[in-house]
Amino acid sequence: MPRLLDADTFFDYLAQGPEVFAPGCAGHSLLFEQWLRAGAQRCGGLRFTGVHIPTVNTFDFAGLHPQSRQRTIFLSGDLRASWLDGRVDYLPMTYTATWRWLRDAVAFDTLLVQVAPPDADGNCSLGMACDFTPAVWPRATRILAHINPRMPRSRGPSIPLARITAAIEQDMPLLAVTDPPTDTAMDAVAAQVATLVEDGATLQLGLGRLQSAVLRAVRDRRNLRIHSGMVSDGLLGLLDSGALSPAPDAVVAGVALGTPALYAAAAAQVSFREVGHTHDHSVLGAIPRLTAINSALSVDLLGQVNGEFLSGRQMSGVGGLPDFIAGARQSAAGRGIIALPASTPKGQCRIVPMLPTGPVSLARVDADCIVTEHGVADLRHLDVHQRAAALIAIAAPEHREQLRSAWHELSRTL
């Protein structure tokens, strides 16, 4: 049985080794965060690793102490100060690469987890956050657990209670994220995306306004399935509308991130799996009509996609985008869709002649389908001039002539 854990012994365990894994999404324990904040002076020399989602997991572990560090595959505004201070280790890796690295190449002194109370067999469900922890816990030296009665027991991975070093059972709210408000521009984009979603398709969607808008736009479809890294409150409307397949495995996801209503529904409706399954290219390629729908910040006339940089500053990471696009391309009748409003709120064109020099999130050879509120650009099998013309046709009308002129000059230099 685990030893009893309190705020003081928590730091005694952390002091036994510098490498700490702290899960993200709803796996983030608000109790452990409270303890870390209150005992920040004891965090010197610790490096916290985790997959922490921008705008969701906003806690800056590296900011706890001048000698604390944070290792991540996402950069965000919340980590900016620590990044500029040189205390953030950014790894530019996809989800599948991160999974293999955690499973095979690195071991942690301490794993922090938030789990459901043990079941009759003595296993503690990972509940709403099953993405990366299954890769970490078998190799961790010690596991410190927040056993939270509010964490639903889900159909998915668990940790044996006997494997947990020390634990505290305490009722605490789970990290909650409300569905974003409706957005006219994104709803118009989602309406175009919906024209590509057939009855019986399997959807993958990124987090945020696009996921919510698309799920509203496809409620009249039937026998849909979801295979995604994450589900949000938009799933509730899809359940209520009858759009989902009645199959028990109609929804497969790594994490649920939303409100308590979502968490209650997801415990019964979602088959939770680890990233080694949800993002695996062979698994994805075997799903017929996999329709991967993700957002971006900008796309250029070559078909290159930027999902990370805003005004020259890195604001995110590639996450699972390359994995899902690759899987959709292997899927029978699959589609890899990048969807974005044609213009920024300030009226700047999101379709640009060429992305600035530097990293791109998705190469032009991986481009499939780009969607804005002005239409669909199916880039498959098009030559470079046809690609540019298709992308210009879905740009905001006031920017099209300028893009045509820019392409004329650009194409002469290729």
Side-chain angles (χ1 to χ4, degrees):
M1 290 293 292
R3 301 181 183 94
L4 294 178
L5 186 66
D6 58 28
D8 192 53
T9 57
F10 175 76
F11 286 101
D12 291 340
Y13 284 115
L14 292 181
Q16 295 178 34
E19 298 294 343
V20 182
F21 188 86
C25 296
H28 176 79
S29 166
L30 295 176
L31 173 64
F32 286 167
E33 178 182 328
Q34 285 183 4
W35 287 358
L36 288 167
R37 289 182 185 275
Q41 74 281 1
R42 300 179 67 177
C43 293
L46 299 179
R47 178 165 65 171
F48 297 87
T49 298
V51 179
H52 304 126
I53 309 300
T55 75
V56 171
N57 299 119
T58 59
F59 182 51
D60 178 8
F61 289 91
L64 286 166
H65 189 280
Q67 277 76 53
S68 296
R69 301 193 67 82
Q70 186 166 348
R71 185 164 50 179
T72 179
I73 66 168
F74 290 107
L75 284 181
S76 69
D78 298 297
L79 300 182
R80 194 68 191 174
S82 292
W83 167 257
L84 293 175
D85 284 345
R87 299 199 304 273
V88 175
D89 304 320
Y90 170 63
L91 284 64
M93 298 197 303
T94 66
Y95 262 41
T96 52
T98 303
W99 169 266
R100 291 192 294 267
W101 172 66
L102 292 172
R103 183 192 62 189
D104 302 331
V106 63
F108 292 90
D109 300 303
T110 306
L111 165 62
L112 307 180
V113 293
Q114 180 174 214
V115 295
D119 61 19
D121 296 320
N123 294 315
C124 295
S125 170
L126 292 174
M128 301 293 104
C130 301
D131 48 356
F132 290 98
T133 298
V136 175
W137 77 257
R139 291 158 56 88
T141 301
R142 64 192 63 83
I143 300 174
L144 306 183
H146 171 197
I147 299 174
N148 191 345
R150 296 200 202 186
M151 177 66 81
R153 187 177 297 141
S154 63
R155 293 185 290 142
S158 59
I159 297 178
L161 184 65
R163 181 65 174 80
I164 294 173
T165 308
I168 179 172
E169 181 165 348
Q170 185 163 325
D171 186 281
M172 288 282 288
L174 300 180
L175 185 69
V177 177
T178 57
D179 229 21
T182 57
D183 178 287
T184 302
M186 195 60 81
D187 284 345
V189 174
Q192 293 286 349
V193 171
T195 66
L196 303 173
V197 177
E198 302 175 348
D199 289 348
T202 295
L203 306 182
Q204 177 273 320
L205 301 108
L207 178 67
R209 293 183 301 150
L210 178 65
Q211 177 176 144
S212 301
V214 169
L215 292 180
R216 288 193 298 271
V218 298
R219 289 179 184 177
D220 62 344
R221 303 301 191 273
R222 290 297 176 263
N223 293 313
L224 295 177
R225 291 173 173 262
I226 292 178
H227 182 107
S228 196
M230 182 181 296
V231 291
S232 66
D233 271 33
L235 176 65
L236 299 174
L238 212 60
L239 289 168
D240 292 340
S241 71
L244 284 175
S245 163
D249 61 347
V251 183
V252 176
V255 301
L257 186 63
T259 60
L262 172 70
Y263 298 150
Q269 300 288 342
V270 177
S271 296
F272 284 92
R273 295 296 302 270
E274 67 284 355
V275 166
H277 177 87
T278 57
H279 292 66
D280 182 81
H281 295 187
S282 61
V283 171
L284 296 170
I287 300 173
R289 288 187 286 178
L290 176 62
T291 306
I293 304 166
N294 291 275
S295 59
L297 295 171
S298 55
V299 177
D300 72 15
L301 295 179
L302 299 174
Q304 299 181 120
V305 175
N306 163 39
E308 307 168 67
F309 283 80
L310 188 63
S311 301
R313 177 176 292 180
Q314 183 148 12
M315 300 301 296
S316 185
V318 295
L321 172 63
D323 299 319
F324 286 120
I325 294 296
R329 290 176 69 88
Q330 296 173 28
S331 163
R335 299 307 307 266
I337 299 168
I338 300 297
L340 69 168
S343 301
T344 69
K346 295 182 178 181
Q348 297 168 316
C349 192
R350 292 185 185 271
I351 295 177
V352 299
M354 182 177 284
L355 295 180
T357 302
V360 297
S361 306
L362 201 65
R364 63 177 179 170
V365 296
D366 296 317
D368 179 350
C369 193
I370 311 298
V371 178
T372 74
E373 67 270 35
H374 300 291
V376 176
D378 186 343
L379 303 186
R380 299 173 300 175
H381 316 132
L382 299 184
D383 68 31
V384 291
H385 295 288
Q386 292 169 327
R387 278 186 172 213
L391 288 163
I392 292 168
I394 65 169
E398 63 270 23
H399 294 294
R400 291 175 190 171
E401 189 55 42
Q402 184 178 1
L403 287 169
R404 290 189 190 98
S405 176
W407 176 251
H408 177 73
E409 294 301 321
L410 176 61
S411 64
R412 297 165 66 89
T413 67
L414 295 179

